[in-house]
Amino acid sequence: MFKICPNCGAHNTATAKFCTRCGTSLAGVVATAEKAVQRSAQPTSENEASTANTAAVSEQSSVPSSLTSSSAQNQPVTPQQAQSQVTPPDNSQQQVPPQPASTQTQSQQTAQGPAPTAQPYQQADQTQQQAQTPPEEPNPTVEATKKYAGSYWRYLVDSIKHPATVTRPYHQYFGLTSLAITIVSLALTIALMTGSAVSSLPGAIASNVLMTFLKLVFLVAVLMIAVVAVYYLVVNGMLGDRRRSFLTFTTEYAFHCNWMVFFSVFTLLMQMLGMINIGSIFLIWLLLSLGSGLFVISGTYMLFTAQSTNRFDKIYAYLIVGILLVIVFLIIMTFGLSSILGGIGQGINDFGRSFNF
């Protein structure tokens, strides 16, 4: 047998006058058996059980501080003091049981409205990425040509500033490039001058003159390469200076006479702009003479600045170079001039036949 507190539902002994949990008076409470208590103590629903528990917690929190202090000081509390100090529970201060996190999230989403989905933005990003094409890789040939042109320009500038001193190694084809620019520029200049002169002639004569002009350009190109080759053979073979290959030797050779590149390009520009007259022709021949003189002087300079390893005298080497150049010149002119003169004679005959016709 025991008494059930009407306030907090705690079980007390049958002889208790006050609740041992909350201090409520049990004077009018009748002691009941255990089975009856279990049937009556079961809440009708989960909400009533949670309400009873919440009321018990509120009653415990509403106990006056005097009871706490008296129990801390080990002073006995009389039933009258406990009953007078206990205050009825305040239903307005009852704690609401916490809601599950899923319920709170749903309530927040309901209050804020439906959140915008990121799917359209993701689809837009994917479409943009697919639309972006990978950057085109640069053409290796074009990049190499740009690099070669920039290095060759620096080679020209260095040769103009200090034509007698090669301060750094250069590309081995720069010398051939300088010779090619000079020959092509002079050839185009002569072609433009010749073309304006023979424009009124018949087609057969004009084609004959053009063929003769091409033979002359080829002859000059072979002659320039032959001069460089003669100097290289003497420096490399007779003086024993084997520091450079033929292409490297040609690059240094042209380094000392690169002014002829600018002279030939200048004459070509004058011809293209129509600035060729009697006074300008004298200037053109002067520039061409200076270019030819620099070409010959460059070979002599290369000969006397070579590092001789076999004690061969450089004066004798120069004399041998002179003899070899005369021989080469005679050979080229013999075969080249014969073809050129034959073309000129054929052109004159064609011109005469056109008048007789």
Side-chain angles (χ1 to χ4, degrees):
M1 301 292 290
F2 51 83
K3 294 181 179 181
I4 299 176
C5 178
N7 186 27
C8 64
H11 293 188
N12 300 278
T13 60
T15 59
K17 297 182 179 180
F18 297 92
C19 180
T20 58
R21 178 183 294 178
C22 62
T24 304
S25 177
L26 302 177
V29 177
V30 180
T32 58
E34 182 178 359
K35 294 182 180 181
V37 170
Q38 289 180 357
R39 289 196 299 268
S40 61
Q42 290 181 356
T44 58
S45 63
E46 294 180 358
N47 293 331
E48 292 178 359
S50 60
T51 305
N53 294 332
T54 305
V57 174
S58 301
E59 290 298 331
Q60 290 179 3
S61 61
S62 62
V63 175
S65 59
S66 60
L67 292 178
T68 305
S69 59
S70 62
S71 61
Q73 296 176 3
N74 298 323
Q75 293 181 0
V77 180
T78 60
Q80 292 80 5
Q81 292 178 350
Q83 185 176 6
S84 61
Q85 291 177 357
V86 172
T87 58
D90 189 1
N91 294 330
S92 62
Q93 296 180 358
Q94 292 181 357
Q95 297 181 357
V96 179
Q99 298 179 356
S102 59
T103 306
Q104 295 180 0
T105 305
Q106 293 177 359
S107 61
Q108 292 178 0
Q109 292 180 356
T110 304
Q112 295 178 359
T117 60
Q119 185 175 3
Y121 298 99
Q122 294 177 357
Q123 292 178 355
D125 294 340
Q126 293 177 358
T127 304
Q128 186 177 4
Q129 291 177 0
Q130 294 176 358
Q132 292 178 354
T133 58
E136 297 181 358
E137 297 182 357
N139 192 339
T141 305
V142 175
E143 295 298 325
T145 303
K146 290 181 180 179
K147 184 177 180 180
Y148 184 87
S151 301
Y152 179 73
W153 177 253
R154 186 178 61 181
Y155 166 76
L156 287 178
V157 173
D158 292 343
S159 65
I160 298 302
K161 291 181 179 179
H162 303 286
T165 306
V166 181
T167 57
R168 68 184 72 180
Y170 297 99
H171 198 281
Q172 60 180 354
Y173 292 114
F174 283 174
L176 294 178
T177 303
S178 295
L179 296 180
I181 292 175
T182 302
I183 295 171
V184 171
S185 299
L186 293 177
L188 290 176
T189 302
I190 299 173
L192 291 175
M193 295 175 64
T194 306
S196 60
V198 301
S199 59
S200 59
L201 297 177
I205 299 176
S207 62
N208 197 339
V209 172
L210 180 61
M211 184 62 65
T212 303
F213 162 75
L214 294 177
K215 292 179 181 179
L216 181 61
V217 171
F218 178 76
L219 182 65
V220 173
V222 172
L223 183 60
M224 295 181 69
I225 297 297
V227 170
V228 177
V230 167
Y231 276 104
Y232 175 74
L233 290 176
V234 172
V235 170
N236 188 55
M238 295 184 178
L239 298 180
D241 187 358
R242 296 179 176 85
R243 296 174 299 169
R244 300 172 293 257
S245 63
F246 177 72
L247 293 177
T248 305
F249 183 87
T250 305
T251 298
E252 294 189 9
Y253 191 108
F255 185 89
H256 304 306
C257 59
N258 267 336
W259 269 110
M260 64 181 183
V261 176
F262 292 94
F263 293 159
S264 60
V265 173
F266 177 74
T267 56
L268 176 61
L269 291 176
M270 291 183 64
Q271 178 64 39
M272 294 176 64
L273 295 176
M275 300 174 60
I276 303 297
N277 50 32
I278 298 177
S280 60
I281 290 176
F282 175 77
L283 177 62
I284 289 173
W285 282 110
L286 176 62
L287 294 178
L288 293 178
S289 301
L290 290 175
S292 302
L294 284 174
F295 185 75
V296 176
I297 293 173
S298 297
T300 305
Y301 182 80
M302 292 287 292
L303 179 65
F304 283 98
T305 56
Q307 295 181 1
S308 180
T309 59
N310 53 12
R311 297 182 180 179
F312 192 84
D313 194 275
K314 294 181 179 180
I315 295 296
Y316 294 125
Y318 181 72
L319 293 176
I320 294 174
V321 166
I323 295 172
L324 293 176
L325 288 178
V326 171
I327 295 173
V328 169
F329 185 79
L330 290 176
I331 294 173
I332 292 176
M333 289 301 172
T334 300
F335 293 98
L337 285 179
S338 61
S339 178
I340 293 174
L341 293 176
I344 292 175
Q346 183 66 32
I348 293 173
N349 292 332
D350 293 339
F351 184 74
R353 291 175 184 175
S354 63
F355 275 100
N356 291 333
F357 179 80

